[in-house]
Amino acid sequence: MTEYRVVVVGAGGVGKSAVTVRFTGGNFVEKYDPTIEDSYRKAVEVDGIACMLDIMDTAGQEEYRALRDQYMKSGNGFVLVYSITSLTSFEAASKLRGEILKIKEDYPDIPIMLVGNKCDMESERVVSTQEGKDLAAKYQIGFIESSAKNNLNINEIFYELVRMINAWREKHNQKPNPGKVAKETGAKPAKKSCLLL
């Protein structure tokens, strides 16, 4: 089984844990309880390939930055979450992408999926879908909008990131560890990955 180390990052309160718990456990976390760090493992099948996702849900608070940086070093791919109801969190996404690239300096094209979460709160939206698409296009990263509450596009976030990691590994001739190397089918380069509602 091929392993994938996925790091979930974003400002505080954007729903990183809600997205992660919805994906790994199938339930929605209603109460906001700031995360320091939580680790999850989930076996999935993507495009006929068995995958083990090792997901690190990181703290959004600045005081845990050193801890978050530590996890970023080991990540194969990143889920970069903002809330469509918070312009501050959207602006923080650009800053966090910069931090990822600084830590992964040898790999400026490391797979990143930009996620506009909380799209069930349409009436409170302050970041348009187009703004999210434009930012993703600018950085040549994946993009999707999701709702952890309504379980909308949650699996797609992680499945698409797995495809991006597979394409990245193939491009860089990197063998996944541990486990067998599986030939990826139908993977698209990260810059073409754009999923919408």
Side-chain angles (χ1 to χ4, degrees), residues 45-56:
E45 190 177 292
V46 179
D47 301 333
I49 296 167
C51 310
M52 178 57 77
L53 272 58
D54 192 355
I55 303 165
M56 181 54 68

Side-chain angles (χ1 to χ4, degrees), residues 4-24 35-41 53-61 64-65 67-82 93 96-97 99-100 111-117 146 148 154 157-158 161 165:
Y4 300 81
R5 286 187 63 85
V6 174
V7 184
V8 182
V9 295
V14 297
K16 295 181 298 298
S17 297
V19 165
T20 306
V21 170
R22 172 64 89 175
F23 176 67
T24 56
T35 304
I36 296 176
E37 50 93 6
D38 282 319
S39 182
Y40 301 85
R41 283 174 71 80
L53 272 58
D54 192 355
I55 303 165
M56 181 54 68
D57 176 19
T58 66
Q61 289 72 25
Y64 299 114
R65 184 177 171 176
L67 199 57
R68 185 177 64 222
D69 289 358
Q70 213 37 55
Y71 298 124
M72 284 183 181
K73 283 190 178 101
S74 64
N76 303 130
F78 296 84
V79 175
L80 180 51
V81 187
Y82 67 91
L96 279 164
R97 177 192 164 268
E99 286 177 25
I100 292 167
I112 300 172
M113 176 62 82
L114 181 66
V115 177
N117 192 38
S146 68
I154 297 301
I157 294 167
F158 294 92
L161 185 61
I165 293 169

Side-chain angles (χ1 to χ4, degrees), residues 125-136:
R125 180 189 282 274
V126 294
V127 181
S128 72
T129 302
Q130 193 58 51
E131 285 173 295
K133 284 168 75 174
D134 290 349
L135 187 66

Side-chain angles (χ1 to χ4, degrees), residues 46-49 163 166 170 182-188:
V46 179
D47 301 333
I49 296 167
R163 291 183 186 107
N166 285 334
E170 208 166 280
K183 183 81 177 130
E184 173 58 19
T185 54
K188 299 180 186 106

